[in-house]
Amino acid sequence: MAIETPEYKIISKCEGFEVRCYSDMVIATIKVHADYKASTSSGFRRIASYIFGGNDKEMKIAMTAPVIADCPSEGLKSYNISFIMPKEHSMSDLPKANISEVSIQKESLGKVAVLSFGGWATESRSINYQKKLSELLLKNKIEIKGGFMVAQFNSPWTLPMFRKNELMVRISS
């Protein structure tokens, strides 16, 4: 059985990246004040606790992919980490998290440029792919609208050669 991923339409494929339009989604998110590696690890565990029953209804919620984090950049001291909630759930039927820092909210990514890459989404690799996507967008005269995000699709036990990641950024219409 495949893990659920967010719905989107491919608008165009450019040299090295895609432009997509994402449907609205509900996410569980937490802001973690630490470096990138510690934030992604701690944020993942806290939201995983929520979906595995750490909520006011003790309700288990199916895991989806990807886990989305702010892309590391110089001077960034906190990161938003987000899980996409399964489409079967709405804002009104999702339970309240036992960890007060986990919030449930509606997210509208809209039009996004996406660059896919394999291996581990380490801080240095994420920064390098952010630079690459920035250059590709500049070359194609596409305006960036917001911060970059790193989307990781695999469990921590997936071997690097089988891992799927994406560098994403909202763009102007």
Side-chain angles (χ1 to χ4, degrees):
M1 189 167 94
I3 291 181
E4 183 180 322
T5 57
E7 293 178 352
Y8 63 84
K9 289 187 170 113
I10 297 174
I11 296 172
S12 62
K13 290 187 179 198
C14 302
E15 180 189 329
F17 70 98
E18 287 182 347
V19 175
R20 301 176 185 165
C21 186
Y22 278 85
S23 299
D24 289 351
M25 60 188 88
V26 177
I27 62 170
T29 192
I30 188 166
K31 182 181 271 297
V32 181
H33 302 282
D35 64 27
Y36 177 72
K37 186 174 182 177
S39 291
T40 54
S41 177
S42 174
F44 180 91
R45 284 193 317 276
R46 291 179 193 175
I47 301 174
S49 170
Y50 167 73
I51 69 168
F52 296 147
N55 55 66
D56 65 351
K57 296 180 184 175
E58 296 181 359
M59 182 171 120
K60 295 197 184 327
I61 302 165
M63 184 72 180
T64 63
V67 174
I68 300 174
D70 293 334
C71 188
S73 63
E74 199 169 314
L76 197 57
K77 302 214 185 309
S78 64
Y79 295 85
N80 290 304
I81 313 299
S82 303
F83 280 26
I84 298 157
M85 297 292 98
K87 288 183 279 287
E88 69 185 73
H89 294 290
S90 66
M91 291 280 298
S92 60
D93 75 353
L94 284 165
K96 186 175 187 275
N98 291 344
I99 299 170
S100 62
E101 296 87 6
V102 173
S103 66
I104 308 302
Q105 55 201 49
K106 191 171 189 175
E107 180 65 65
S108 299
L109 287 177
K111 201 170 178 185
V112 177
V114 179
L115 183 147
S116 296
F117 64 100
W120 292 105
T122 62
E123 181 171 357
S124 62
R125 293 188 84 230
S126 296
I127 289 170
N128 285 338
Y129 284 108
Q130 176 183 335
K131 287 177 186 171
K132 182 176 179 179
L133 182 55
S134 291
E135 290 168 4
L136 289 168
L137 294 173
L138 185 62
K139 179 180 170 184
N140 285 276
K141 297 180 174 75
I142 298 173
E143 187 181 335
I144 294 169
K145 196 172 99 179
F148 286 82
M149 299 163 278
V150 179
Q152 297 184 62
F153 287 80
N154 308 101
S155 77
W157 303 280
T158 303
L159 295 172
M161 65 195 114
F162 299 116
R163 297 187 68 78
K164 176 186 175 185
N165 309 292
E166 293 177 338
L167 215 295
M168 308 168 67
V169 67
R170 289 179 179 99
I171 56 175
S172 296
S173 299

